[in-house]
Each structure stands twice: as structure tokens, then as C-alpha cells.
Amino acid sequence: QVQLVESGGGLVQPGGSLRLSCAALGSIASIYSMGWYRQAPGKQQREFVASIISEGGLILYDDPVKGRFTISTDNAKNTVYLEMNSLKPEDTAVYYCNLRASTAQTISPTTYWGQGTQVTVSS
């Protein structure tokens, strides 16, 4: 059983900063990638924000967040972070942590989601 525990959301003024954290708990054998998605108000689908591919350390960002958001991991803690700077009202969304990993029970990689954390950018 794998559980993702998110923290760090909140209300911030435009131009401000927030740092999201997501810790992966459970019997994880191997992590393939960790990342973040978001679902804005009124939108039905989650959108990709950023991710880190474990093999090779490849880091990917969606265009709207490039240069403002930074994703990082603490491999010892199975934790992924999202540092968000120069926040804009259009960044308002529920942010979801995403993990692809294998466990002792699931040899093939499985996708897991966090519970979501609200980020609101407003003056």
C-alpha cells in the first residue's frame, strides 16, 4: 500500500511564493517518476505541471510554469517538492502529487495520486 501525503498549499498574493511537499509512504521498491499536476476551477481534467524521471534525472515543466516553478526530490525521504515563485492568479488550482513506482506486490510500475492541496493566488 502506497500513500502520498501532500502539504504546503494555501492563499498567497500575486507575485508571492509557496512550496508544496509530497511524501510517499509505504513499501516502495523502485520509483520511476515523481511529479505534480493541477486542476483549475471549472476544468474537468488535471494538467501536467512538472515531473522528475528517476532514471537519468530528466526534469520536465509545462510551458506556463517554466522559469517560475522548480521541482526537486529528496530520494532518502521519497519526497518531491514544488517551489512556486512569481505566482499568478491563473496558477490557482488544486495541486496533485503523482508517483509512478513499483512495490513488492506490484512488479510493474503503478500510478499513485495524492489527495490534492489547494493553491489560491488572489489579492
Side-chain angles (χ1 to χ4, degrees):
Q1 188 79 10
V2 175
Q3 183 182 11
L4 300 181
V5 180
E6 300 180 25
S7 62
L11 173 64
V12 64
Q13 292 186 344
S17 299
L18 281 175
R19 188 190 195 210
L20 306 183
S21 300
C22 173
L25 308 177
S27 302
I28 296 170
S30 182
I31 291 178
Y32 293 82
S33 67
M34 296 189 81
W36 295 91
Y37 285 69
R38 65 186 180 184
Q39 186 167 4
K43 292 198 174 182
Q44 293 188 341
Q45 291 191 345
R46 297 175 188 176
E47 300 175 341
F48 170 79
V49 176
S51 68
I52 295 180
I53 311 300
S54 297
E55 185 173 352
L58 178 65
I59 295 177
L60 301 172
Y61 294 101
D62 193 22
D63 284 344
V65 308
K66 283 181 180 177
R68 301 188 298 121
F69 290 11
T70 302
I71 188 171
S72 62
T73 57
D74 184 334
N75 294 330
K77 297 180 180 180
N78 286 344
T79 299
V80 61
Y81 305 96
L82 186 67
E83 186 77 33
M84 304 185 294
N85 298 314
S86 302
L87 282 162
K88 304 175 181 180
E90 50 263 43
D91 294 317
T92 295
V94 177
Y95 284 71
Y96 294 91
C97 175
N98 173 277
L99 167 74
R100 278 186 61 78
S102 61
T103 68
Q105 293 75 35
T106 60
I107 300 175
S108 299
T110 301
T111 298
Y112 302 91
W113 292 95
Q115 79 279 9
T117 185
Q118 178 69 47
V119 171
T120 301
V121 185
S122 175
S123 56

